[in-house]
Amino acid sequence: MGCGTSSASQLETRGLIYIYYGTTTGNSSRLAFQFASEVRNLKFIPKIINLSEYNPKELISQKLNVFFVSTYGMGSCTADTENFDQWLFSEERNKNEFQGMNYMIFALGSTNHEHYCEFGIRLDKRLEQLGAKRICNLGKGDAANDQTENDYQQWIHNEVQQTLQLQYPLYTCEQGQLDFSIIKIKITKEPENLLSDNLDFMAQKYINSITFSINEIKELKLQPSRGNSTLFLDLFNQNIKYKTAYNIAIYPQNSDSDIDELCTLLKFDKNMRFKIITNQKQPFPNPISIYTYLKKFCDFSGLVSKKQLIELSNMINQKELQDELLHLASFEGRDQYQNRFQNSKENLLNLIKKYQIKTLTLEKIIEICPQIQPRYFTIASSNQKHPQNIHIMASQFVLNHERLGLSSSYFRTLKKGDIIRGYLQPSKFKLPKNSKAPTFLIGIGAGLAPLRALIQERDYYLENNQFEKCPFQGEMKLYYGCKTEAEFLFKDELKEYLNSGTLSELQVAFSRKDPKQYVTELIAIDQLYQHFQMDGILYICGSIELGRDIQVKIADMFEYFENTDPYLTDQKIRELEENSQILTEYWG
């Protein structure tokens, strides 16, 4: 990490720190950039790299690497980390290949899922196995109950800051080496260029995304209300290629009214165009207008971060309010932060209004605001039945009593003919290996989406007299749970599938009807046992609670029919999952 000392313009530094991240929804990316800001204050020179763009020689040769990684599915890495994962765990790696490297890992996950932070745990063990030295305990961020930010702050406060300062003493370095990681802008009259070169991973992913036109958009619930609404979107692209029950990630956009309000408060000319001046890869395409940046790339309506609180505190003249924000951003103020911001989903725009902040610059907004991340939906259509159309079901999400989430607000503005952007990604749902196996579909609410896709797949082959080619030749049963008759999504369509023989059985439970009933109450353990005895497949889509309730049913089944000891039922369930006989998509 040595620097030259010939320049007259020198600064103290602790040297380079490489920050790698692997992400699906952007949480690891957000923390990686937040971490870069914090270590910059400790006088490190941060370099941020998505793991899809890792350089093996560079990674091995660097003395200090930090990893922010998420777990996807059954303990796997995220899609952007797959090549790195294969390289790292290859038998070609030598035992002491990483000797001389120091590392830290912050793993993201949710304790609601069985494989909590599993990829981060595997990465930690593998780096140590290859000779690298862990200098801080593995950090874990728990998304259950929105604890990731607090877990991250605790890791930084209790582990990281002191370790880095003790192990990496200050030395002098040429100022230019410190400047390369800081973003600056330049006002320009050049036209916008949304296809610019040298983009970072997240920006390139946006540029490479697919455009869809909205063929149809409608409300699915008979009595929708604010926060209790499910939209159906039919998206068209004549060149699309997707597989049944894939996921689609859709990029939402900020509303014009919010953009106008922010520009008025900060006295921005939204039509002004600017360029990014940086030696690193560009965080978004440019030259770009302030309006386009705020519309498509800047997440100023997401949950306010502690980094944002610290920056805003520097722009307030009243010491009492400064101290208030600094306390809320501190480790000691973590409970108040959760009550004030996390629970109410407070955003940056609201804080700017509340504290009458007028000196926030565009550079600072670019620095402290994460990029808008896509929202994921499991596709609700079969590619056989609708080869050029993708159907999704989007439930409305209310952040607090006053406003909807970014995605919900965006969908509410859309109409037929509008163009949206997104990309496709495999889901955990797969077609059966054994086409003769019976399938049992269980879902609640908008969890019907992938189950509808599977039903359509079977219906396509029946309609076209090609049943011998159908991946679902065994019986197909659907058990569905919703609150009331008014929320029975695709009621007529599903009953038609039952009448035509596409569905062998349809059972519906209403949790807000008298007498109330939950979908798991419809499922008998002898029915499950018979299903698995025939090598049947169970598809489940819904809440974490639904998944837990069904796991209890399956555990009871093993105890009753096979006299399995209670402590061994989890292993039995894992075997079914590994054999792709239990396939799940959960939220919450």
Side-chain angles (χ1 to χ4, degrees), residues 409-422:
S409 297
Y410 174 59
F411 284 146
R412 283 289 151 192
T413 68
L414 297 174
K415 58 187 182 301
K416 184 175 180 177
D418 283 350
I419 303 297
I420 66 172
R421 300 189 76 105

Side-chain angles (χ1 to χ4, degrees), residues 17-258:
I17 185 167
Y18 279 69
I19 305 166
Y20 293 91
Y21 70 91
T23 191
T24 296
T25 60
N27 287 326
S28 295
S29 166
R30 176 181 59 81
L31 286 183
F33 279 88
Q34 187 168 326
F35 182 80
S37 177
E38 286 165 349
V39 295
R40 195 178 286 123
N41 291 336
L42 294 176
K43 298 192 176 181
F44 280 92
I45 307 169
K47 185 171 183 183
I48 306 170
I49 304 166
N50 180 266
L51 279 165
S52 67
E53 301 174 319
Y54 84 101
N55 179 315
K57 289 182 180 177
E58 184 179 65
L59 187 145
I60 292 173
S61 66
Q62 292 309 320
K63 302 298 183 187
L64 179 56
N65 293 314
V66 185
F67 298 86
F68 290 85
V69 291
S70 297
T71 296
Y72 181 75
M74 307 289 287
S76 304
C77 62
T78 52
D80 58 345
T81 311
E82 286 174 355
N83 289 338
F84 168 76
D85 183 49
Q86 290 172 9
W87 171 79
L88 186 70
F89 287 89
S90 166
E91 292 180 0
E92 296 174 6
R93 303 276 70 74
N94 300 318
K95 186 176 180 182
N96 294 316
E97 194 169 355
F98 288 14
Q99 203 160 35
M101 176 206 294
N102 289 344
Y103 75 90
M104 299 184 291
I105 298 173
F106 190 83
L108 288 83
S110 169
T111 48
N112 282 333
H113 293 276
E114 182 185 353
H115 303 278
Y116 173 54
C117 291
E118 191 164 312
F119 178 66
I121 294 167
R122 283 200 302 117
L123 173 62
D124 183 38
K125 289 179 180 176
R126 182 60 171 165
L127 291 174
E128 188 175 44
Q129 189 180 49
L130 294 173
K133 180 184 176 185
R134 182 195 312 107
I135 59 171
C136 281
N137 288 326
L138 172 68
K140 293 181 182 178
D142 184 7
N145 301 316
D146 285 330
Q147 284 301 308
T148 302
E149 179 74 27
N150 277 343
D151 291 336
Y152 167 75
Q153 290 294 335
Q154 189 161 346
W155 182 65
I156 291 287
H157 180 82
N158 291 345
E159 295 270 347
V160 175
Q161 288 178 341
Q162 188 175 9
T163 299
L164 289 177
Q165 287 172 308
L166 285 173
Q167 295 207 19
Y168 295 89
L170 289 164
Y171 62 94
T172 56
C173 178
E174 291 183 17
Q175 186 170 353
Q177 293 209 13
L178 285 175
D179 290 343
F180 81 91
S181 63
I182 299 171
I183 285 177
K184 296 174 182 173
I185 68 166
K186 178 182 178 182
I187 306 305
T188 181
K189 292 187 177 179
E190 293 178 43
E192 285 192 322
N193 179 14
L194 293 184
L195 297 174
S196 51
D197 298 326
N198 197 33
L199 298 174
D200 70 16
F201 172 77
M202 305 300 280
Q204 194 61 56
K205 200 161 189 175
Y206 177 87
I207 294 305
N208 292 340
S209 62
I210 307 161
T211 56
F212 298 89
S213 63
I214 297 178
N215 192 50
E216 182 185 8
I217 182 166
K218 65 181 181 182
E219 174 61 56
L220 287 175
K221 293 185 176 179
L222 295 179
Q223 298 172 350
S225 60
R226 186 176 178 82
N228 186 24
S229 159
T230 301
L231 288 177
F232 169 80
L233 285 84
D234 177 356
L235 309 177
F236 173 76
N237 181 308
Q238 64 180 7
N239 299 315
I240 194 69
K241 289 183 180 178
Y242 73 99
K243 291 185 179 179
T244 297
Y246 256 38
N247 287 335
I248 181 170
I250 294 176
Y251 287 97
Q253 296 181 359
N254 285 307
S255 70
D256 285 355
S257 58
D258 281 352

